[in-house]
Amino acid sequence: MKRRHFLQFAGSTLAALGWSQLDIARTGDRYGRVLAQNTPRKLALLIGVNQYPEGISALRGCVNDTRMQYELLVHRFGFNPANIVTVADDSGIPPTRQNILDAFENHLINQALPGDVVVFHFSGHGSLVASPDPLPDFAPYEGTIVPFDGRDSTDYEAPAKDITGKTLFLLLSALQTENVTAIFDSCHSGGVRGDLRLRSLQYEGTIARSSRYGDGAVGVHPQELNYQEQWRSRLNIPPDRLQQMRQAGAAKGAVIGSAQIDQWAADASFGEGDGRFYSGAFTYALTRYLWQQASEESLRSTFNNLARRTQDVSGASGIDQLPDLTVAPDSNVDGQPIYLTVPQVPTAEGVLLSGEDRVEFWLGGVSSQSLVAFQTGAIFNLIDRQGRTIGEVEQTDRQGLVGRGIVRSRTRGASGVLLRDCLFAVPADLSLRVGVDRAVGDVATARSLLSQVDRVQVADDTADCLLGRATTAAEGIAVGSFGLFSRTLDPIPDTFGRPEEDLNTAVRRLRPRLKMLLAGRILKAIVNSETSSLRVNAIVEAVDGSGGDRVGSRGAIEAGILPETVATPQFSPGTTIQVRVRNDETRNLYIGVLAIGSNGDLVVLFPNDWDAPEDAALVEAGQTLTVPDPQGGFQFVVRPPAGFFELLVLASTEPLRNALRGLQRIAGSRGTRSGDPLPLAEDEPVAVMEDLLGDLDRTTRSGVALNRSVRAVDSTQLAAIAATIEVVD
């Protein structure tokens, strides 16, 4: 399938919107000229549909998506709030078909002038319809976005009042400006899995389809066909010409979709307790990345980085979701910045919303894995538009992405002032959240047994994993065996026992694995590659130099070290890989490299001189460390099965003495030779993580009064960099 054609088909990921252009003879330099114009007006239309009529599965994160985009556009990209219209469940403008179309016409088409910037965002259900004039490659289907009243919930086979790709193509074509970014976070294939909901139209769990079209979808409502015809006539585009234009590619600017045609778009939960909230995995990754985007970056580079982060967010829940990008033909849109405009302020984790001494703030720039470290006790620097520190805020609590805190220095807060992470706080009693799937049978007993495992919290809502029972056979998994599943009910490797095993025995057997997963959760909570000021650069690559992925701290990005990156790096089983870490500081750093397998296994790759681990961890200023050492020792070979594992690089300005001594003791008790990696087992992973947090906390607290219920980490003294690696057959 050609990439340009994909977006003409998948109504979910914007797809089938038939994106093309009215005048494909125009050249790409028009975008450079437009961007050079003075103070173009910036207009945005944000659509979020959570609630659908009874019988159609509701979503939970679409309205939050519109809030995320709103705060980003206003506070990072300089949009005037008066120029943003939100059509959503809670906006006062219900997301009906007519309201969405009216808003597009009145707010965007009637107002946008040549050179203006336009952003259109839709979050909600997507679907397919049987089209009377589909594109040849995708007959008989066309993709749609589904407004609140797009379907008759009592008649599954009634023609759809969805807004089709053809209609969206015509509306975009009617815009006078070329500076258009259209974003769609929806899908049309899938269902509800575990804690995730998928943005595919469903009737009570069944994908909406009609037998009258065989295995196809329902037809298009005459109201939609009439609306298309009105716009085609107004634009004076003959039917055959319209079909050619739709076949050619994007209508205006850039179109970004949340997933490929055969993938799900996750409507996921993030955080826990009062801090829990829902959002599209894609929208969260997009807006968070743009809060942290450190320099003027091309759309192509942004998209490549965004693709990896979307996979990190969705992959953590077992969903394989890779975004898609298309741009107008004969243009250089992908060489221009995203939204065809540049950020107006420096990178930040958030922005003050209201208050003076006691303030509320938006934490749109915090990663999903680090949210637990921003529940209470974190300290933020207030910064001005030049990035200079002008004050300090101590966080007291968080609900969703809205934090609250007290201004510690500077007399008063001020709406619109940016926040940049200074110290973040990992709860001292951080636990692993484990849910119980009904397939175990005796749910009450399973919950009781799990509650007896130290630092395991039985979860009723968002869980890190679930205890369940296999109902179908798979490689290494017998029907009826107990084991652990991801949030999306994908089995976690190496956790399943024999079918005859009883529940009590299974929980005892799984205890070490639960501790492994807890250690991984603690470690991921301190990942701060986009907030640390340390200049550290790392690359993961095959030993022959292929398949590499560069990652680094914000300090390295600001220095222009990082090149354009690609989506999650892929390696086939049998590939020998290595990690190269460069210390670009003017001072020495202490480096650690760890690997976390898909089953939760934690292996220390470096340092591995168990006679003197502290000295071995030291990497001098300007020097590069290669792990494993190419001169000898061990090799890091990728092994099956297909899936994901993670590599983490820790760089500290101070030696992590207790953690290194703990590792040294473990290596000595096992007789591990210097130069060999150290796999951790039983209670060892949690003990090592506690030692690590203790080292970081003691260094951070020097001269700073902080809450004793947390372990504090100073982003000026630690860079924790994570890279997700995919193993492909």
Side-chain angles (χ1 to χ4, degrees):
M1 180 182 299
K2 296 180 180 179
R3 290 183 66 82
R4 70 179 185 188
H5 290 164
F6 160 70
L7 290 175
Q8 297 167 324
F9 175 62
S12 52
T13 54
L14 15 205
L17 304 183
W19 313 98
S20 182
Q21 58 178 14
L22 281 174
D23 183 4
I24 58 177
R26 296 179 184 178
T27 59
D29 64 355
R30 59 188 170 185
Y31 293 94
R33 292 196 300 269
V34 166
L35 286 175
Q37 294 178 6
N38 293 326
T39 60
R41 192 177 188 189
K42 301 174 182 179
L43 303 169
L45 174 58
L46 312 176
I47 314 295
V49 194
N50 278 342
Q51 299 302 318
Y52 286 85
E54 184 177 356
I56 299 176
S57 61
L59 298 171
R60 299 174 293 191
C62 301
V63 173
N64 277 343
D65 287 358
T66 64
R67 174 75 186 276
M68 288 180 176
Q69 280 281 18
Y70 176 89
E71 301 295 349
L72 175 79
L73 294 175
V74 170
H75 296 295
R76 187 100 213 277
F77 285 88
F79 280 60
N80 187 328
N83 290 332
I84 301 177
V85 169
T86 300
V87 179
D89 299 347
D90 66 346
S91 69
I93 309 176
T96 61
R97 169 188 168 84
Q98 194 59 52
N99 284 344
I100 293 172
L101 295 176
D102 286 348
F104 203 109
E105 291 185 28
N106 296 328
H107 184 59
L108 300 183
I109 295 175
N110 292 347
Q111 293 197 85
L113 300 175
D116 285 349
V117 170
V118 167
V119 173
F120 175 78
H121 181 108
F122 174 85
S123 285
H125 276 311
S127 190
L128 293 175
V129 295
S131 173
D133 58 346
L135 296 175
D137 291 345
F138 309 112
Y141 306 122
E142 182 167 8
T144 71
I145 59 175
V146 184
F148 169 80
D149 55 351
R151 300 299 176 95
D152 185 340
S153 62
T154 63
D155 184 358
Y156 299 170
E157 297 189 357
K161 295 181 182 178
D162 299 356
I163 300 173
T164 64
K166 183 177 180 181
T167 293
L168 287 163
F169 168 78
L170 289 164
L171 292 174
L172 288 172
S173 299
L175 292 167
Q176 294 188 56
T177 180
E178 303 290 341
N179 297 339
V180 179
T181 305
I183 300 169
F184 295 80
D185 196 344
S186 54
C187 73
H188 69 256
S189 62
V192 178
R193 305 185 65 205
D195 190 51
L196 294 185
R197 299 191 181 191
L198 305 168
R199 295 181 174 181
S200 165
L201 182 65
Q202 297 178 11
Y203 291 113
E204 297 178 345
T206 302
I207 297 174
R209 295 204 165 210
S210 170
S211 58
R212 77 176 70 173
Y213 293 104
D215 64 350
V218 299
V220 182
H221 196 280
Q223 182 179 352
E224 170 72 355
L225 297 175
N226 291 337
Y227 186 76
Q228 292 173 359
E229 185 59 24
Q230 292 172 25
W231 269 107
R232 188 193 64 77
S233 298
R234 290 173 64 179
L235 294 172
N236 193 27
I237 307 175
D240 56 346
R241 172 62 177 152
L242 177 60
Q243 196 77 337
Q244 293 172 6
M245 292 164 60
R246 295 180 64 204
Q247 188 80 7
K252 300 273 184 175
V255 178
I256 305 173
S258 61
Q260 302 290 316
I261 189 172
D262 58 349
Q263 294 177 333
W264 290 315
D267 190 75
S269 63
F270 302 94
E272 56 190 275
D274 291 340
R276 185 185 187 195
F277 67 97
Y278 298 93
S279 175
F282 169 73
T283 299
Y284 186 18
L286 167 69
T287 56
R288 184 183 73 81
Y289 178 76
L290 294 179
W291 272 104
Q292 296 290 351
Q293 192 178 42
S295 60
E296 185 174 328
E297 190 177 18
S298 71
L299 170 59
R300 176 59 61 183
S301 177
T302 297
F303 177 79
N304 288 339
N305 283 292
L306 171 63
R308 181 178 62 197
R309 284 157 176 79
T310 302
Q311 287 186 310
D312 288 349
V313 174
S314 60
S317 300
I319 292 292
D320 185 17
Q321 181 177 343
L322 180 65
D324 201 280
L325 167 69
T326 190
V327 299
D330 301 318
S331 75
N332 69 339
V333 176
D334 55 351
Q336 302 296 333
I338 192 169
Y339 299 147
L340 284 301
T341 187
V342 297
Q344 303 296 299
V345 297
T347 61
E349 276 65 67
V351 62
L352 288 184
L353 298 177
S354 62
E356 295 181 347
D357 297 322
R358 293 185 175 273
V359 294
E360 282 194 347
F361 44 89
W362 179 255
L363 290 174
V366 176
S367 74
S368 60
Q369 291 183 337
S370 300
L371 274 172
V372 68
F374 292 94
Q375 188 61 40
T376 184
I379 295 178
F380 297 92
N381 286 329
L382 298 173
I383 61 173
D384 62 18
R385 287 177 171 264
Q386 286 70 48
R388 296 172 300 204
T389 299
I390 57 175
E392 192 175 84
V393 169
E394 181 178 357
Q395 183 184 359
T396 56
D397 69 289
R398 175 177 61 81
Q399 289 185 318
L401 288 177
V402 176
R404 296 177 181 86
I406 301 171
V407 177
R408 290 173 40 135
S409 62
R410 191 176 191 262
T411 305
R412 297 176 183 273
S415 176
V417 173
L418 300 176
L419 289 85
R420 181 172 288 174
D421 163 37
C422 176
L423 306 178
F424 58 96
V426 179
D429 59 350
L430 187 63
S431 60
L432 184 73
R433 302 162 299 178
V434 182
V436 178
D437 186 70
R438 287 177 296 178
V440 301
D442 190 345
V443 173
T445 297
R447 291 173 61 90
S448 176
L449 291 169
L450 286 170
S451 67
Q452 298 172 36
V453 181
D454 183 41
R455 297 187 65 172
V456 165
Q457 175 187 348
V458 180
D460 293 315
D461 42 39
T462 304
D464 300 304
C465 63
L466 298 105
L467 174 65
R469 197 166 195 168
T471 56
T472 57
E475 184 177 354
I477 302 176
V479 174
S481 59
F482 291 108
L484 299 176
F485 294 82
S486 72
R487 291 169 56 190
T488 51
L489 303 183
D490 292 307
I492 296 176
D494 304 327
T495 65
F496 288 83
R498 297 178 179 275
E500 61 272 16
E501 183 181 46
D502 63 78
L503 188 57
N504 186 52
T505 304
V507 173
R508 287 202 307 271
R509 174 181 56 80
L510 289 169
R511 181 184 173 280
R513 184 61 59 190
L514 294 171
K515 291 303 181 73
M516 287 277 194
L517 295 171
L518 171 59
R521 185 176 187 224
I522 295 171
L523 188 57
K524 293 173 187 176
I526 66 173
V527 170
N528 67 341
S529 57
E530 290 161 333
T531 63
S532 175
S533 59
L534 294 184
R535 295 161 51 88
V536 182
N537 188 26
I539 182 169
V540 182
E541 63 184 0
V543 170
D544 64 5
S546 64
D549 181 39
R550 297 179 185 271
V551 290
S553 68
R554 178 158 66 188
I557 297 172
E558 287 179 341
I561 294 169
L562 291 184
E564 294 188 1
T565 60
V566 296
T568 301
Q570 298 178 336
F571 298 102
S572 59
T575 304
T576 301
I577 65 175
Q578 63 186 12
V579 184
R580 288 192 285 117
V581 184
R582 188 171 73 239
N583 175 9
D584 288 302
E585 287 287 310
T586 57
R587 53 184 164 172
N588 298 339
L589 295 176
Y590 293 86
I591 304 294
V593 181
L594 303 93
I596 303 178
S598 59
N599 60 358
D601 280 348
L602 185 62
V603 181
V604 179
L605 302 176
F606 184 86
N608 57 0
D609 180 348
W610 305 118
D611 296 324
E614 183 177 318
D615 293 339
L618 183 66
V619 176
E620 294 182 351
Q623 297 302 302
T624 297
L625 167 73
T626 301
V627 180
D629 185 344
Q631 301 304 314
F634 67 98
Q635 288 186 322
F636 190 0
V637 181
V638 176
R639 299 295 185 195
F644 297 88
F645 69 92
E646 292 179 283
L647 289 171
L648 291 102
V649 176
L650 304 178
S652 172
T653 60
E654 300 293 330
L656 305 173
R657 288 195 172 94
N658 285 340
L660 292 172
R661 287 170 183 165
L663 292 173
Q664 187 179 37
R665 286 194 298 270
I666 295 169
S669 67
R670 296 209 196 143
T672 303
R673 299 179 308 170
S674 283
D676 286 349
L678 181 63
L680 302 178
E682 298 293 335
D683 291 330
E684 295 169 349
V686 175
V688 170
M689 292 306 105
E690 288 299 329
D691 286 341
L692 172 64
L693 286 178
D695 287 330
L696 297 171
D697 185 67
R698 278 185 292 276
T699 301
T700 300
R701 287 181 186 274
S702 177
V704 180
L706 295 170
N707 189 328
R708 287 290 171 184
S709 66
V710 298
R711 297 288 185 264
V713 180
D714 188 341
S715 288
T716 67
Q717 299 179 16
L718 175 78
I721 304 165
T724 300
I725 312 297
E726 184 175 9
V727 181
V728 294
D729 292 330

